Amino acid sequence: MRVKHAFLTLWAALVTLPLLWALMSSFKTDAEIFDSPWTPPASPRFDNWSRAWEQASIGQYLFNTLIVVGGALALTMLLGALTAYCLARYEFPGNRFLYYTLIAGMLFPVFLALVPLFFVVDNLGMLGTYHGLILVYAAYALPFTVFFLHGFFRSLPGAVAEAAFIDGASHAGVFFRVMLPMARPGMVSVGIFNFLGLWNQYLLPKVLNPDPDHYVLAQGLAELAVSQGYRSDWSGLFAGLIIAILPVLLAYVFFQRQIRAGLTSGALK
């Protein structure tokens, strides 16, 4: 037990200390970052954050990311829940084939599809657009969403759905008013996982989003690292990194109980 606690403490330190150091560096001057990297700033420099937000366009990148990830997450959760529910609750020819075809998408390396995907998106006139990136993000996250939710819908009691049908509910009514609320722990858990994965996505937007005005945060941070490195504006770079990390940290802090509840519910059922 002591060995396990020591290992967990070491792991927590390895994860949290770099974040705390980056946060502390975002309030320093460039000279303080190099001269005294492990000490707190003599006077917090909040202008580093404003400089990263305005001059480095982190605010615009954040807005673009919220549009793309928010749209993709809504589309993925709707389509994923509908697909998983149909595959889990209805028997029809080809059910298993469709399910395993979707699951096989999780095993396919995305970089192998980048070239044909680029030409498909370009031919559709959606290269460098919000809706083009939203559709690609949704397709990228759909297999995992179906896989995750399939087990939840299979574990839900069929008697509840049958009672709803007897009361005159339609198939859509049973799904949206009965089964979907019962699968809420799984929906929240997979929603958080998808949010984290799509928020940190870099390869897809790098290839499919060449317009600088539509850059997402991952692209913006790469550009910021290059530009601020040449300018030796390391404090602005750290501020931009913290701004990009904060939404992910807040999402986990506020929804960590729902994530654990969803994972435990799926394991127990």
Side-chain angles (χ1 to χ4, degrees):
M1 185 64 69
R2 292 181 179 179
V3 174
K4 182 174 68 174
H5 287 169
F7 175 77
L8 292 176
T9 301
L10 177 62
W11 179 260
L14 291 175
V15 172
T16 57
L17 287 179
L19 292 176
L20 293 176
W21 179 75
L23 177 63
M24 186 173 60
S25 299
S26 69
F27 292 104
K28 291 182 175 182
T29 64
D30 292 333
E32 288 178 321
I33 292 176
F34 289 100
D35 295 338
S36 53
W38 307 112
T39 59
S43 178
R45 298 290 299 273
F46 293 97
D47 60 300
N48 295 336
W49 287 56
S50 61
R51 191 169 64 255
W53 183 268
E54 297 174 0
Q55 298 181 13
S57 301
I58 290 295
Q60 181 63 41
Y61 299 147
L62 180 62
F63 176 74
N64 295 339
T65 306
L66 290 175
I67 292 177
V68 173
V69 174
L73 192 59
L75 186 61
T76 300
M77 297 305 296
L78 176 61
L79 296 179
L82 286 169
T83 304
Y85 175 73
C86 291
L87 293 176
R89 308 296 297 192
Y90 295 95
E91 295 294 335
F92 56 88
N95 182 300
R96 293 290 89 188
F97 174 76
L98 290 176
Y99 175 71
Y100 288 117
T101 300
L102 282 169
I103 300 308
M106 299 172 56
L107 307 177
F108 189 80
V110 67
F111 60 84
L112 293 181
L114 287 178
V115 174
L117 187 60
F118 173 86
F119 286 108
V120 169
V121 176
D122 188 27
N123 291 334
L124 292 174
M126 296 188 297
L127 196 66
T129 62
Y130 289 135
H131 56 281
L133 207 54
I134 287 173
L135 291 176
V136 173
Y137 272 25
Y140 172 79
L142 193 59
F144 173 73
T145 305
V146 173
F147 171 74
F148 195 97
L149 293 178
H150 184 269
F152 272 89
F153 284 118
R154 285 185 66 89
S155 68
L156 297 179
V160 179
E162 294 175 2
F165 283 125
I166 293 174
D167 289 339
S170 63
H171 288 279
V174 171
F175 172 72
F176 286 105
R177 299 175 62 182
V178 179
M179 307 304 282
L180 194 60
M182 293 176 64
R184 181 181 176 184
M187 293 288 291
V188 173
S189 296
V190 75
I192 294 298
F193 290 138
N194 282 334
F195 171 77
L196 297 178
L198 296 178
W199 187 272
N200 295 321
Q201 181 60 241
Y202 176 73
L203 193 59
L204 289 175
K206 182 65 176 178
V207 174
L208 304 175
N209 190 31
D211 186 0
D213 292 334
H214 290 167
Y215 274 3
V216 295
L217 264 177
Q219 293 174 281
L221 286 177
E223 292 293 322
L224 180 64
V226 174
S227 62
Q228 302 300 76
Y230 280 119
R231 297 174 187 171
S232 297
D233 187 6
W234 301 105
S235 56
L237 176 59
F238 278 112
L241 290 173
I242 295 300
I243 293 174
I245 292 172
L246 276 178
V248 177
L249 289 178
L250 292 176
Y252 180 77
V253 168
F254 286 112
F255 293 103
Q256 57 178 321
R257 291 185 179 180
Q258 287 84 346
I259 295 176
R260 289 199 300 267
L263 295 176
T264 305
S265 178
L268 293 177
K269 293 178 181 178

